[in-house]
Amino acid sequence: MCIKRVPEMELRFSIAPDGTSLVESGMKFDLGDFDSYAVEVALRLNEQQGPGEVTVISLGPDGVQETLRKALGMGADRAVQLKADAVPVDGLAIARALAAELKDGGYDLVLFGRMATDTANQTVGPMTAQLLGLPCVTAISQLELQDGRGTAVRQLEGASEAVEFPLPAVLTIDEGIARPRLPSLKGIMAAKKKPLETKPAQLGAVQLTVQSLELPAERAAGRIVGEGADAVPELVRLLQTEAKVL
Amino acid sequence: MANTFAFAEARGGQLRKVAYETVTAARQAADATGGGEVHALLIGGPGIAAKAQDLGRFGADVVTVVEDAALAHYNPEVFAATAAAQIQAGGYRAAFFAASAQGKDLAPRVAASLGVSMASDLVAFTLAGDALVGRHPSHAGKIITTVRLAATPAIATLRPGAITAAESPKTPRVETARPALDPAAAKVKVTERAEQGAKQLDLAEAPVIVSGGRGLREAANFKLVEDLAAAFGNAAVGATRAVTDDGWRDPSTQIGQTGRVVSPELYVAVGISGAIQHLAGMRTSRVIVAINKDKDAPIFKVADYGIVGDLFEVVPRLTEEVKKAKAH
Ligand SMILES: Cc1cc2nc3c(=O)[nH]c(=O)nc-3n(C[C@H](O)[C@H](O)[C@H](O)COP(=O)(O)OP(=O)(O)OC[C@H]3O[C@@H](n4cnc5c(N)ncnc54)[C@H](O)[C@@H]3O)c2cc1C
Ligand SMILES: Nc1ncnc2c1ncn2[C@@H]1O[C@H](COP(=O)(O)O)[C@@H](O)[C@H]1O
């Protein structure tokens, strides 16, 4: 399964002088939220239907080893770092490197987070599936495997669908599927001895780049119209005459 | 001069609002690069062809209709193969999809099968020289990333509501095509489908969203939020995760980082604290109104208009006043 090291979103971000990257000092990094759900799904499947092996793959600079160790601490068996100087924003480049690593098969499922919480691109999973020619279901909130086939539930806007697919398959994991465990002390100790292999990432040509980063314009300072129900007529007047939404 | 492609998303035999937005974006892109044609692709079940003319209103010159009984609902493999084949054949400069649940599943498959990268969830874009440059809220909405996509075709998904559908009437030529993949050959099969509240306005379509949070205290009190939405007449009801986790509301109505991302004309937050994960889903709304009894609630930092007070008093009054205003 594929995981990404991302900054924690609770902190305040500041933009580096180059205008295209974030100042990393003061940032904390972790497994992205959806990726941690995906790790949990992989571990549970293995516990219930194993014994199998859970391999975690992350593309990026050496910092990603910390993220991989965390997943090993949660219970993954083996880790692979696809080493690159930086993680590109280009989803196809990442997908190409992951597909190169995954092309020889040997797995039932390839799991992704629904999206990386930093880029919020939602492209790497389905792109990797397309490159591998594997069936793919995105944003699933339930999963079961039986007799070489899987069933999953996914939410579309206004409908929810149950789908069935053959293995091997690529899935992207939405939240709500399983609460991720925290690595235990024993797990963390064991993780130090688990294999972590480093190979160069085969990114290929990059077509999507960051031109600039900005902090969003603060919304023009809002105003408190008033207190309690008595303020309602004034609010409605403002919605009509000023905001023109009524 | 180059032609531009737009994927016109439909559901339940109807065009979605995002279809008009995507065609509008393609029209703007074509006009900005010398006035090429806009070619829209419309896939659906029997009868969908009747909607093709409607896309002309927003500037489509050609509408290619793929009508098949097996395609009344989204089928990722068939839609992707068909869109990729059309884009390949058309030699387009750019191709636009909606950043809806469907579009976010579809566009990356199309891009990867054409061997090009893509830009996700743009709120604005320009086509300049050999690149598409677009703005994309990232990092839970705390950063705006401007990306540069140097690829032909330049494929992008557009955040619902971010581009205002604008009329630019044409009488489109309507062509028909067959799916590029036999629906029976798709590897992923839908075995069950549950439509949710078909009569309600969808969050992506509604110009107004009224959302409720834990401040409502219990599920039954959502009636207040529903009544306010009904008073607006064009509103959908959203919720925070605190509320969907407790089972008060359907998870499909959750707004935020792990739910839906919306950009309505007006967003009314009722009893919502304004956690960053919630703000990530609604901070690009045009006008935000907050009702909260805590004057220090973070929601007031993004709200254009706030009322500090007990929602159980403020909301019923607001419902009355909105009804009066609408009656005029
Ligand atoms: C990984 C992760 C992802 C998440 N994703 C999402 C997401 O997608 N969407 C989301 O919404 N949340 C998400 N959350 C949860 C988020 O952090 C907040 O916990 C949640 O949004 C809080 O919901 P709330 O505002 O309804 O409740 P609370 O934070 O409990 O706020 C209730 C508010 O109601 C007010 N109130 C109470 N009584 C009254 C009254 N009588 N009149 C007026 N006001 C009143 C209070 O002052 C308070 O501000 C996520 C959290 C995590 C960790
Ligand atoms: N650098 C990376 N290394 C490994 N997996 C990644 C990487 N970037 C993205 N992914 C995976 O792809 C998912 C979607 O990422 P994105 O398309 O950027 O939103 C993430 O949740 C991860 O599972």
Side-chain angles (χ1 to χ4, degrees):
Chain A
M1 53 155 312
C2 303
I3 58 177
K4 185 177 186 191
R5 173 182 185 255
V6 296
E8 288 188 2
M9 297 298 149
E10 304 291 340
L11 301 172
R12 193 175 268 283
F13 293 116
S14 57
I15 293 162
D18 67 5
T20 60
S21 60
L22 295 172
V23 176
E24 292 212 356
S25 67
M27 265 181 4
K28 284 199 345 210
F29 290 88
D30 199 356
L31 199 59
D33 294 327
F34 297 100
D35 295 12
S36 65
Y37 304 129
V39 172
E40 182 63 36
V41 168
L43 295 175
R44 284 194 194 180
L45 280 174
N46 202 25
E47 284 157 8
Q48 290 157 7
Q49 312 199 353
E53 197 183 57
V54 176
T55 303
V56 284
I57 307 176
S58 189
L59 180 153
D62 288 344
V64 308
Q65 291 183 10
E66 185 194 347
T67 314
L68 288 167
R69 289 275 175 220
K70 173 164 182 196
L72 293 173
M74 290 169 74
D77 301 292
R78 211 164 68 75
V80 178
Q81 175 195 5
L82 298 177
K83 189 166 169 141
D85 297 338
V87 182
V89 70
D90 186 316
L92 187 65
I94 297 174
R96 240 189 247 120
L98 293 173
E101 176 63 20
L102 292 162
K103 68 177 188 314
D104 297 328
Y107 42 77
D108 296 313
L109 286 177
V110 184
L111 302 184
F112 288 84
R114 183 186 65 148
M115 70 172 186
T117 44
D118 54 353
T119 59
N121 275 339
Q122 287 193 54
T123 59
V124 174
M127 282 179 161
T128 307
Q130 193 74 36
L131 297 177
L132 292 168
L134 292 179
C136 172
V137 189
T138 62
I140 65 166
S141 54
Q142 282 176 43
L143 172 66
E144 271 171 51
L145 298 185
Q146 213 168 30
D147 307 327
R149 293 189 71 78
T151 52
V153 173
R154 79 181 227 97
Q155 306 292 330
L156 286 167
E157 285 148 10
S160 100
E161 279 184 357
V163 298
E164 198 186 278
F165 52 89
L167 304 181
V170 173
L171 304 173
T172 81
I173 306 294
D174 206 346
E175 60 142 13
I177 197 158
R179 259 183 216 291
R181 67 194 69 188
L182 292 171
S184 66
L185 198 56
K186 208 170 123 216
I188 295 168
M189 296 311 287
K192 294 193 174 136
K193 300 203 196 74
K194 289 181 180 170
L196 192 161
E197 191 187 348
T198 294
K199 316 177 175 178
Q202 299 170 32
L203 289 166
V206 165
Q207 294 174 319
L208 184 75
T209 49
V210 174
Q211 179 162 303
S212 62
L213 299 179
E214 285 161 58
L215 300 174
E218 289 289 326
R219 293 187 68 96
R223 83 179 95 138
I224 301 288
V225 177
E227 291 190 11
D230 292 344
V232 167
E234 175 63 3
L235 172 65
V236 169
R237 192 188 68 77
L238 288 167
L239 291 178
Q240 285 181 303
T241 57
E242 193 177 87
K244 302 200 191 319
V245 283
L246 196 67
Chain B
M1 194 169 82
N3 295 339
T4 306
F5 173 92
F7 186 86
E9 191 170 317
R11 188 172 71 203
Q14 304 292 328
L15 289 169
R16 300 192 68 191
K17 183 166 157 253
V18 291
Y20 304 134
E21 294 170 8
T22 323
V23 170
T24 298
R27 181 75 264 157
Q28 289 167 355
D31 291 347
T33 53
E37 288 187 338
V38 170
H39 295 189
L41 173 63
L42 175 60
I43 305 180
I48 198 72
K51 305 289 169 196
Q53 287 299 331
D54 220 16
L55 295 169
R57 267 205 293 143
F58 299 89
D61 299 283
V62 177
V63 181
T64 302
V65 180
V66 178
E67 208 179 77
D68 189 303
L71 298 178
H73 299 301
Y74 177 53
N75 180 323
E77 290 157 71
V78 180
F79 278 48
T82 306
Q86 290 289 325
I87 295 171
Q88 184 89 53
Y92 301 108
R93 174 71 195 85
F96 296 101
F97 294 80
S100 57
Q102 184 187 116
K104 286 192 247 182
D105 182 275
L106 175 60
R109 298 174 192 256
V110 172
S113 73
L114 294 172
V116 289
S117 198
M118 61 168 281
S120 291
D121 194 24
L122 302 183
V123 293
F125 71 89
T126 52
L127 264 176
D130 58 350
L132 180 144
V133 173
R135 289 164 65 79
H136 163 55
S138 62
H139 300 77
K142 290 170 98 179
I143 298 283
I144 305 288
T145 303
T146 298
V147 290
R148 183 170 191 282
L149 176 61
T152 308
I155 297 182
T157 56
L158 306 171
R159 175 172 293 201
I163 296 193
T164 309
E167 302 217 0
S168 172
K170 305 249 174 189
T171 307
R173 304 196 295 282
V174 178
E175 297 173 356
T176 56
R178 296 298 311 146
L181 176 75
D182 177 2
K187 293 178 218 154
V188 177
K189 311 260 180 235
V190 175
T191 51
E192 220 179 291
R193 232 187 117 77
E195 304 283 342
Q196 297 147 347
K199 59 185 191 314
Q200 273 168 17
L201 262 179
D202 185 82
L203 289 166
E205 315 268 323
V208 177
I209 294 177
V210 186
S211 280
R214 190 149 41 199
L216 283 153
R217 281 200 219 122
E218 57 178 284
N221 294 334
F222 253 84
K223 175 100 184 23
L224 292 176
V225 172
E226 281 166 359
D227 288 348
L228 178 55
F232 279 108
N234 53 355
V237 175
T240 64
R241 172 156 161 199
V243 159
T244 54
D245 274 0
D246 282 350
W248 298 0
R249 301 297 293 181
D250 192 273
S252 67
T253 63
Q254 179 183 318
I255 309 261
Q257 183 187 327
T258 45
R260 302 282 296 274
V261 176
V262 295
S263 248
E265 281 290 295
L266 172 64
Y267 188 92
V268 184
V270 176
I272 292 176
S273 59
I276 110 151
Q277 296 91 350
H278 187 77
L279 300 185
M282 45 64 78
R283 70 186 308 152
T284 57
S285 305
R286 189 165 79 76
V287 178
I288 297 174
V289 169
I291 299 161
N292 196 302
K293 68 174 182 192
D294 173 8
K295 70 171 181 13
D296 296 321
I299 191 76
F300 286 126
K301 293 218 180 68
V302 301
D304 301 282
Y305 305 108
I307 292 185
V308 178
D310 182 359
L311 70 89
F312 294 97
E313 289 165 17
V314 176
V315 174
R317 181 75 190 273
L318 182 55
T319 304
E320 284 318 305
E321 295 291 330
V322 170
K323 271 189 200 152
K324 269 195 238 160
K326 286 275 175 185
H328 285 301

